[in-house]
Amino acid sequence: MAGDRADFLIGGASAQMIRGAGTHAASGLGQTRRRAEAAVYGVLFSAFAVVGVQLLVLAAGRHSDIALAISEPVAATSFSRPDIVDRNGRLLATDLEAPSIFADPGVVLDRDEVVEKLSTVLPDLNASELMRALSDRSRRFVWVRRGVSPAIAQKVHDLGLPGVSFRYELKRAYPGGKMAGHSLGYVDVDNRGVAGIEKYIDDKVGVDPVHSAVLSNRPPVRLSLDLGVQHALEDELDDAMRRYQPEGAAGAILNIKTGEILASASLPQVDPSWPTQALDDKHIDRMTGGTYELGSVFKTLTLAMAFDEGLAKPDTVLDVRQPLEAGRFTVTDMHPSRKPLTVTEVFTHSSNVGAGMLALEAGPERLQAFLKKAGILEPMQTEAGAIATPQVPSRWNRATTITASFGHGIAVAPLQFAAAAATLFNGGKTVHPTFLRKFDAGTADGKPVISAATSRELAELMRANVVDKDGTGGKADVLGYRVGGKTGTADIASKGGYTSNAVISSFLAAFPTDDPQYLTFIVLFEPKGIPDTKGHRTGGTNAAPVTGELIARVAAQLGVAPEFATARQ
């Protein structure tokens, strides 16, 4: 038993010793594992630290490249613009998000391939210039084409060219195409206004600098233009271009009371989406961008002065049978009269001699002062830009006084003349032509130029010139709308004199003449004599019928109700 116990005790002790040894062994193994894990983590941390340091070194080494990329036009500022709408809220211009194409020369693999393939999608691409830009590996950004259509962008994307990519920018869009293009103007590649109403927005309304395609939240700029009236004017001028084959045509429709320009056009037109067209002399805005001797439409101003100065009345008789002499010049009438004429007949027969006689009676000082008061002699500007500065005689002598009375020897922009003429028919107060809608539109509140009585007499003269059988404006009559008007035909000035085979023909109209509300002015530049006009090129044979067709189209749009019972009164 004892031995057995001893053995038992010894066995128990041995078991404890064995268990203790196992415990110490397990503890040692755990410590070893922890040390191994710590070593692994240490190695990994060291590795990441080395990588991090290397990244910092690389970043420091490429700092100049990064700075270059940031300084390149990829971060260039574009400009967000408000919409432009017509007087009724119809859209004329707006911003759109458009893709622009750029390249990173450092990523481009094959410059020749890039240029060759891009040229298939962009045939007008300057290949040599792009090749030079891509050859400069120090650059990280090169514009390829800004503001392309989504279809073009998709074609470029489908080429799969490494290093060629896109960013979205704002691009100006004109839903009406060429409509009112001269007045709207255009923007540059950064969407900043360069000319016309677009330039006015930059100067007076304000645009927002943006670094991505962010549309403006500004209220739209509301113009005085009426889109329907503008379309009718351009359409009638286009028809006149085909019918009378002039070098150009221009016209405007004004609210006589407020000076608001409801339509203004010059043909050939310009597309505001293609600004380079505006640099072509053939596409000049003839309403505002050039000055012209306009001829007999100036007689409205001469007679206004004579009536208001008390020099004549409509029934005053003038002996116009003899021409006027001025030094080496002789002034005659196209159709000389064999009898004295009343001042009304001087107007309806468009007598140069009669107008010259009235101007001579007033004298050069009074004539010049009146034209200045009417706004003909001073520079003028609208929201669409400066109007061409009038060209006036350097000294007013007998000859210049006579010729200025019937629109020769003095040259003005058609829109400036139209504004002066509007003053004559609105009760006699100056109006300034404006492309912005006036919400407080009422009667003219400018400075008085002529009396209300003189203004009424002039309106009656204008109506007589259209309805009288001897009047020059019969082809402008429109049944029911009481149109009054005056013709103009001026030889075109050339070096040393006037051309013998080229004229500027025009027609000035106001309606309805019992209370004039609107004025139209149509000008044709070098029209041809055609069979329909029996070879004539005068304003009464071409500009007058264009005016009649135009008024027939727009009068109802402008709210003028016809009065058929008094149509010929």
PDB file of all heavy atoms in Angstrom, residues 440-462:
ATOM      1  N   ASP A 440     -42.499 101.549 -68.703  1.00  0.00           N
ATOM      2  CA  ASP A 440     -43.311 102.715 -68.378  1.00  0.00           C
ATOM      3  C   ASP A 440     -43.576 103.536 -69.628  1.00  0.00           C
ATOM      4  O   ASP A 440     -43.636 104.764 -69.595  1.00  0.00           O
ATOM      5  CB  ASP A 440     -42.621 103.578 -67.320  1.00  0.00           C
ATOM      6  CG  ASP A 440     -41.225 104.034 -67.771  1.00  0.00           C
ATOM      7  OD1 ASP A 440     -40.730 103.476 -68.762  1.00  0.00           O
ATOM      8  OD2 ASP A 440     -40.660 104.928 -67.118  1.00  0.00           O
ATOM      9  N   ALA A 441     -43.700 102.819 -70.770  1.00  0.00           N
ATOM     10  CA  ALA A 441     -43.837 103.506 -72.054  1.00  0.00           C
ATOM     11  C   ALA A 441     -45.092 104.360 -72.078  1.00  0.00           C
ATOM     12  O   ALA A 441     -46.184 103.926 -71.693  1.00  0.00           O
ATOM     13  CB  ALA A 441     -43.883 102.480 -73.185  1.00  0.00           C
ATOM     14  N   GLY A 442     -44.933 105.585 -72.521  1.00  0.00           N
ATOM     15  CA  GLY A 442     -46.054 106.497 -72.665  1.00  0.00           C
ATOM     16  C   GLY A 442     -45.739 107.489 -73.755  1.00  0.00           C
ATOM     17  O   GLY A 442     -45.154 107.148 -74.773  1.00  0.00           O
ATOM     18  N   THR A 443     -46.118 108.725 -73.557  1.00  0.00           N
ATOM     19  CA  THR A 443     -45.810 109.741 -74.545  1.00  0.00           C
ATOM     20  C   THR A 443     -44.350 110.146 -74.437  1.00  0.00           C
ATOM     21  O   THR A 443     -43.718 109.979 -73.392  1.00  0.00           O
ATOM     22  CB  THR A 443     -46.697 110.968 -74.331  1.00  0.00           C
ATOM     23  OG1 THR A 443     -46.494 111.465 -72.994  1.00  0.00           O
ATOM     24  CG2 THR A 443     -48.161 110.610 -74.508  1.00  0.00           C
ATOM     25  N   ALA A 444     -43.840 110.677 -75.528  1.00  0.00           N
ATOM     26  CA  ALA A 444     -42.452 111.118 -75.535  1.00  0.00           C
ATOM     27  C   ALA A 444     -42.258 112.236 -74.522  1.00  0.00           C
ATOM     28  O   ALA A 444     -43.086 113.136 -74.405  1.00  0.00           O
ATOM     29  CB  ALA A 444     -42.076 111.606 -76.930  1.00  0.00           C
ATOM     30  N   ASP A 445     -41.188 112.169 -73.755  1.00  0.00           N
ATOM     31  CA  ASP A 445     -40.956 113.157 -72.711  1.00  0.00           C
ATOM     32  C   ASP A 445     -39.615 113.861 -72.877  1.00  0.00           C
ATOM     33  O   ASP A 445     -39.045 114.396 -71.935  1.00  0.00           O
ATOM     34  CB  ASP A 445     -41.034 112.513 -71.325  1.00  0.00           C
ATOM     35  CG  ASP A 445     -40.049 111.357 -71.182  1.00  0.00           C
ATOM     36  OD1 ASP A 445     -39.327 111.071 -72.157  1.00  0.00           O
ATOM     37  OD2 ASP A 445     -40.015 110.736 -70.105  1.00  0.00           O
ATOM     38  N   GLY A 446     -39.098 113.845 -74.127  1.00  0.00           N
ATOM     39  CA  GLY A 446     -37.820 114.495 -74.389  1.00  0.00           C
ATOM     40  C   GLY A 446     -37.969 115.999 -74.567  1.00  0.00           C
ATOM     41  O   GLY A 446     -39.042 116.582 -74.341  1.00  0.00           O
ATOM     42  N   LYS A 447     -36.902 116.627 -75.009  1.00  0.00           N
ATOM     43  CA  LYS A 447     -36.917 118.072 -75.219  1.00  0.00           C
ATOM     44  C   LYS A 447     -37.746 118.404 -76.463  1.00  0.00           C
ATOM     45  O   LYS A 447     -37.714 117.701 -77.459  1.00  0.00           O
ATOM     46  CB  LYS A 447     -35.491 118.588 -75.403  1.00  0.00           C
ATOM     47  CG  LYS A 447     -34.613 118.406 -74.176  1.00  0.00           C
ATOM     48  CD  LYS A 447     -33.200 118.914 -74.452  1.00  0.00           C
ATOM     49  CE  LYS A 447     -32.319 118.728 -73.217  1.00  0.00           C
ATOM     50  NZ  LYS A 447     -30.921 119.203 -73.473  1.00  0.00           N
ATOM     51  N   PRO A 448     -38.489 119.508 -76.422  1.00  0.00           N
ATOM     52  CA  PRO A 448     -39.283 119.884 -77.598  1.00  0.00           C
ATOM     53  C   PRO A 448     -38.395 120.332 -78.756  1.00  0.00           C
ATOM     54  O   PRO A 448     -37.429 121.068 -78.563  1.00  0.00           O
ATOM     55  CB  PRO A 448     -40.158 121.027 -77.078  1.00  0.00           C
ATOM     56  CG  PRO A 448     -39.420 121.576 -75.905  1.00  0.00           C
ATOM     57  CD  PRO A 448     -38.698 120.418 -75.290  1.00  0.00           C
ATOM     58  N   VAL A 449     -38.713 119.867 -79.944  1.00  0.00           N
ATOM     59  CA  VAL A 449     -37.996 120.248 -81.160  1.00  0.00           C
ATOM     60  C   VAL A 449     -38.892 121.101 -82.053  1.00  0.00           C
ATOM     61  O   VAL A 449     -38.473 122.134 -82.572  1.00  0.00           O
ATOM     62  CB  VAL A 449     -37.507 119.003 -81.921  1.00  0.00           C
ATOM     63  CG1 VAL A 449     -36.861 119.381 -83.246  1.00  0.00           C
ATOM     64  CG2 VAL A 449     -36.524 118.218 -81.071  1.00  0.00           C
ATOM     65  N   ILE A 450     -40.127 120.665 -82.221  1.00  0.00           N
ATOM     66  CA  ILE A 450     -41.124 121.425 -82.962  1.00  0.00           C
ATOM     67  C   ILE A 450     -42.421 121.419 -82.166  1.00  0.00           C
ATOM     68  O   ILE A 450     -42.588 120.638 -81.220  1.00  0.00           O
ATOM     69  CB  ILE A 450     -41.368 120.840 -84.372  1.00  0.00           C
ATOM     70  CG1 ILE A 450     -41.817 119.383 -84.272  1.00  0.00           C
ATOM     71  CG2 ILE A 450     -40.112 120.964 -85.232  1.00  0.00           C
ATOM     72  CD1 ILE A 450     -42.197 118.752 -85.598  1.00  0.00           C
ATOM     73  N   SER A 451     -43.334 122.252 -82.556  1.00  0.00           N
ATOM     74  CA  SER A 451     -44.618 122.324 -81.853  1.00  0.00           C
ATOM     75  C   SER A 451     -45.504 121.154 -82.243  1.00  0.00           C
ATOM     76  O   SER A 451     -45.306 120.516 -83.289  1.00  0.00           O
ATOM     77  CB  SER A 451     -45.322 123.636 -82.186  1.00  0.00           C
ATOM     78  OG  SER A 451     -45.729 123.631 -83.547  1.00  0.00           O
ATOM     79  N   ALA A 452     -46.508 120.905 -81.424  1.00  0.00           N
ATOM     80  CA  ALA A 452     -47.461 119.844 -81.737  1.00  0.00           C
ATOM     81  C   ALA A 452     -48.222 120.159 -83.014  1.00  0.00           C
ATOM     82  O   ALA A 452     -48.552 119.261 -83.800  1.00  0.00           O
ATOM     83  CB  ALA A 452     -48.426 119.657 -80.571  1.00  0.00           C
ATOM     84  N   ALA A 453     -48.471 121.438 -83.263  1.00  0.00           N
ATOM     85  CA  ALA A 453     -49.181 121.831 -84.478  1.00  0.00           C
ATOM     86  C   ALA A 453     -48.348 121.517 -85.717  1.00  0.00           C
ATOM     87  O   ALA A 453     -48.863 121.000 -86.722  1.00  0.00           O
ATOM     88  CB  ALA A 453     -49.511 123.326 -84.428  1.00  0.00           C
ATOM     89  N   THR A 454     -47.052 121.810 -85.652  1.00  0.00           N
ATOM     90  CA  THR A 454     -46.163 121.484 -86.775  1.00  0.00           C
ATOM     91  C   THR A 454     -46.101 119.981 -86.986  1.00  0.00           C
ATOM     92  O   THR A 454     -46.091 119.494 -88.123  1.00  0.00           O
ATOM     93  CB  THR A 454     -44.758 122.042 -86.521  1.00  0.00           C
ATOM     94  OG1 THR A 454     -44.810 123.461 -86.445  1.00  0.00           O
ATOM     95  CG2 THR A 454     -43.800 121.639 -87.627  1.00  0.00           C
ATOM     96  N   SER A 455     -46.071 119.231 -85.893  1.00  0.00           N
ATOM     97  CA  SER A 455     -46.033 117.774 -85.989  1.00  0.00           C
ATOM     98  C   SER A 455     -47.266 117.256 -86.721  1.00  0.00           C
ATOM     99  O   SER A 455     -47.169 116.357 -87.568  1.00  0.00           O
ATOM    100  CB  SER A 455     -45.941 117.164 -84.585  1.00  0.00           C
ATOM    101  OG  SER A 455     -45.874 115.762 -84.647  1.00  0.00           O
ATOM    102  N   ARG A 456     -48.442 117.820 -86.438  1.00  0.00           N
ATOM    103  CA  ARG A 456     -49.670 117.394 -87.118  1.00  0.00           C
ATOM    104  C   ARG A 456     -49.623 117.750 -88.603  1.00  0.00           C
ATOM    105  O   ARG A 456     -50.045 116.965 -89.458  1.00  0.00           O
ATOM    106  CB  ARG A 456     -50.892 118.042 -86.458  1.00  0.00           C
ATOM    107  CG  ARG A 456     -51.242 117.439 -85.093  1.00  0.00           C
ATOM    108  CD  ARG A 456     -52.627 117.874 -84.646  1.00  0.00           C
ATOM    109  NE  ARG A 456     -52.694 119.329 -84.447  1.00  0.00           N
ATOM    110  CZ  ARG A 456     -52.385 119.942 -83.322  1.00  0.00           C
ATOM    111  NH1 ARG A 456     -51.973 119.234 -82.270  1.00  0.00           N
ATOM    112  NH2 ARG A 456     -52.500 121.254 -83.217  1.00  0.00           N
ATOM    113  N   GLU A 457     -49.099 118.933 -88.924  1.00  0.00           N
ATOM    114  CA  GLU A 457     -48.993 119.334 -90.327  1.00  0.00           C
ATOM    115  C   GLU A 457     -48.088 118.387 -91.112  1.00  0.00           C
ATOM    116  O   GLU A 457     -48.388 118.028 -92.260  1.00  0.00           O
ATOM    117  CB  GLU A 457     -48.461 120.768 -90.421  1.00  0.00           C
ATOM    118  CG  GLU A 457     -49.474 121.832 -90.015  1.00  0.00           C
ATOM    119  CD  GLU A 457     -48.887 123.231 -90.059  1.00  0.00           C
ATOM    120  OE1 GLU A 457     -47.668 123.370 -89.825  1.00  0.00           O
ATOM    121  OE2 GLU A 457     -49.650 124.177 -90.323  1.00  0.00           O
ATOM    122  N   LEU A 458     -47.001 117.967 -90.492  1.00  0.00           N
ATOM    123  CA  LEU A 458     -46.084 117.047 -91.167  1.00  0.00           C
ATOM    124  C   LEU A 458     -46.730 115.688 -91.402  1.00  0.00           C
ATOM    125  O   LEU A 458     -46.538 115.076 -92.463  1.00  0.00           O
ATOM    126  CB  LEU A 458     -44.808 116.890 -90.343  1.00  0.00           C
ATOM    127  CG  LEU A 458     -43.893 118.108 -90.294  1.00  0.00           C
ATOM    128  CD1 LEU A 458     -42.779 117.892 -89.278  1.00  0.00           C
ATOM    129  CD2 LEU A 458     -43.301 118.403 -91.675  1.00  0.00           C
ATOM    130  N   ALA A 459     -47.503 115.208 -90.431  1.00  0.00           N
ATOM    131  CA  ALA A 459     -48.193 113.930 -90.611  1.00  0.00           C
ATOM    132  C   ALA A 459     -49.185 114.015 -91.767  1.00  0.00           C
ATOM    133  O   ALA A 459     -49.323 113.077 -92.563  1.00  0.00           O
ATOM    134  CB  ALA A 459     -48.899 113.538 -89.319  1.00  0.00           C
ATOM    135  N   GLU A 460     -49.856 115.144 -91.900  1.00  0.00           N
ATOM    136  CA  GLU A 460     -50.800 115.324 -93.000  1.00  0.00           C
ATOM    137  C   GLU A 460     -50.066 115.373 -94.340  1.00  0.00           C
ATOM    138  O   GLU A 460     -50.550 114.831 -95.347  1.00  0.00           O
ATOM    139  CB  GLU A 460     -51.606 116.603 -92.781  1.00  0.00           C
ATOM    140  CG  GLU A 460     -52.572 116.510 -91.608  1.00  0.00           C
ATOM    141  CD  GLU A 460     -53.184 117.851 -91.249  1.00  0.00           C
ATOM    142  OE1 GLU A 460     -52.893 118.852 -91.945  1.00  0.00           O
ATOM    143  OE2 GLU A 460     -53.958 117.908 -90.270  1.00  0.00           O
ATOM    144  N   LEU A 461     -48.907 116.025 -94.360  1.00  0.00           N
ATOM    145  CA  LEU A 461     -48.102 116.039 -95.581  1.00  0.00           C
ATOM    146  C   LEU A 461     -47.680 114.628 -95.974  1.00  0.00           C
ATOM    147  O   LEU A 461     -47.704 114.264 -97.166  1.00  0.00           O
ATOM    148  CB  LEU A 461     -46.853 116.900 -95.393  1.00  0.00           C
ATOM    149  CG  LEU A 461     -46.971 118.416 -95.543  1.00  0.00           C
ATOM    150  CD1 LEU A 461     -45.595 119.053 -95.395  1.00  0.00           C
ATOM    151  CD2 LEU A 461     -47.580 118.788 -96.882  1.00  0.00           C
ATOM    152  N   MET A 462     -47.260 113.851 -94.994  1.00  0.00           N
ATOM    153  CA  MET A 462     -46.830 112.475 -95.270  1.00  0.00           C
ATOM    154  C   MET A 462     -47.987 111.665 -95.858  1.00  0.00           C
ATOM    155  O   MET A 462     -47.800 110.901 -96.815  1.00  0.00           O
ATOM    156  CB  MET A 462     -46.331 111.825 -93.978  1.00  0.00           C
ATOM    157  CG  MET A 462     -45.065 112.420 -93.405  1.00  0.00           C
ATOM    158  SD  MET A 462     -43.552 111.742 -94.121  1.00  0.00           S
ATOM    159  CE  MET A 462     -43.419 110.212 -93.187  1.00  0.00           C
TER     160      MET A 462
END
